């Protein structure tokens, strides 16, 4: 099972370090692709998930896992930018491929064999990815995957979209296809924010965001507070506002967002006829370029978005769940709580007493609102 690597003690220890120490997660971002999409700990953690996934697919041997994790830890500790970390992962994988193939340190003497092995495992026998809401996993395992033919509220969303064209403008609720990618980092992103049209509506993205938004944190109250502010700003009348809130509430319940775990559906590249890459012969024959760079060329993503509208048999599908909540959401909450300033009232100052009373009253009102919303959520 592919997700089993996230249960290994050494892996868990590294994930904990990267999610809790700035030395491991605070990197330069602007030289990496799609850096503006990620918040907080997401990019360093998604890149680490990717490095672990590549090991599971290419090496797949627990014998070398502890040593591999140690190399990753040094990489995340020493390197200060995501671009070099990504290339470093490929160089490390080359070393462990050599070990698994019995070449040990004789890497240069076996360049072609190592690259052929990586190509076979990651491309010929490899996967494309689709971020999916985990509520659909059991059905897909039983019945296979039919793009867009699963329980949804598209007709209701379409009705809102027709009435207010600016809402859900990036989504075509008539289309019969979904998108796949071979970029595992972006697959983690899509799995976290799936469905994208819904997360963008509840928590509009911003290139300047510095923290996880409410959707990423599975924060129902925060998301619907954003929604009410949006509807108010757009001057949507009360009747339509209630209709939109009700639809979003039903969608949240359908997806079980309070408890959902980002899940990635993996489908063999051969199903799409995408298990051969152009220029592979030149890569294998290149005797001058660093072998780690050549390996990076092989594993670098080729399909940012591949549209697919045909059914896929369950026998061609696997799933992997990423430990996003434990090591990203919970870590963010913990780091955020560490920065909260606790103010102790000065008993000699009567004004502080008034402020404390107002804070207490405000807390009571907020708690009442939370309880009401939770009750509504599970009705």
């Amino acid at each position: 099972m592919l997700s089993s690597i996230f249960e290994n003690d050494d892996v868990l220890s590294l994930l904990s370090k990267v999610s809790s120490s700035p030395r491991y997660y605070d990197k330069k971002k602007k030289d990496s692709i799609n850096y503006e999409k990620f918040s907080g700990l997401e990019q360093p953690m998604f890149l680490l998930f990717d490095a672990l996934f590549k090991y599971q697919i290419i090496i797949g041997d627990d014998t070398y896992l502890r040593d591999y994790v140690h190399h990753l830890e040094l990489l995340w500790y020493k390197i200060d930018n995501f671009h070099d970390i990504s290339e470093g992962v490929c160089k490390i994988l080359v070393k462990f491929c050599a070990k698994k193939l019995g070449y040990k340190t004789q890497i240069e003497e076996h360049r072609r064999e190592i690259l052929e092995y990586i190509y076979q495992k990651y491309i010929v026998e490899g996967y494309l990815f689709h971020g999916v809401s985990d509520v659909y996993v059991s059905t897909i395992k039983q019945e296979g995957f039919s793009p867009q033919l699963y329980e949804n509220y598209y007709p209701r969303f379409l009705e809102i979209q027709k009435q207010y064209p600016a809402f859900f403008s990036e989504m075509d609720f008539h289309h019969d296809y979904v998108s796949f990618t071979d970029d595992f980092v972006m697959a983690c992103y899509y799995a976290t924010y799936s469905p994208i049209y819904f997360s963008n509506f509840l928590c509009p993205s911003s290139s300047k965001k510095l923290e996880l938004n409410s959707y990423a944190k599975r924060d129902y109250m925060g998301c619907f507070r954003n929604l009410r502010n949006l509807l108010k700003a757009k001057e949507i009348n009360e009747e339509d506002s209630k209709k939109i809130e009700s639809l979003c509430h039903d969608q949240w319940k359908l997806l079980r967002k309070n408890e959902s775990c980002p899940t990635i559906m993996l489908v063999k590249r051969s199903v799409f006829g995408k298990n051969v890459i152009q220029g592979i012969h030149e890569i294998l024959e290149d005797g001058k370029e660093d072998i780690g760079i050549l390996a990076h060329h092989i594993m670098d993503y080729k399909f940012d978005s591949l549209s697919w509208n045909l059914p896929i048999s369950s026998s061609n599908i696997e799933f992997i769940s990423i430990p996003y909540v434990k090591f990203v959401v919970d870590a963010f909450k913990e780091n955020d709580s560490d920065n909260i300033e606790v103010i102790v009232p000065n008993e000699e100052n009567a004004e502080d007493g008034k402020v404390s009373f107002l804070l207490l009253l405000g807390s009571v009102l907020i708690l009442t609102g939370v309880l009401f919303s939770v009750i509504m959520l599970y009705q």
Side-chain angles (χ1 to χ4, degrees), residues 288-307:
K288 297 181 179 180
E289 181 65 87
D290 183 277
I291 187 174
I293 301 299
L294 295 176
H296 189 268
H297 290 335
I298 292 174
M299 291 183 280
D300 190 22
Y301 76 92
K302 311 297 185 296
F303 305 101
D304 181 48
S305 181
L306 175 70
S307 298

Side-chain angles (χ1 to χ4, degrees), residues 221 361-375:
M221 289 296 296
L361 178 60
S363 300
V364 172
L365 292 175
I366 290 172
L367 179 59
T368 302
V370 170
L371 291 174
F372 178 75
S373 295
V374 171
I375 292 171

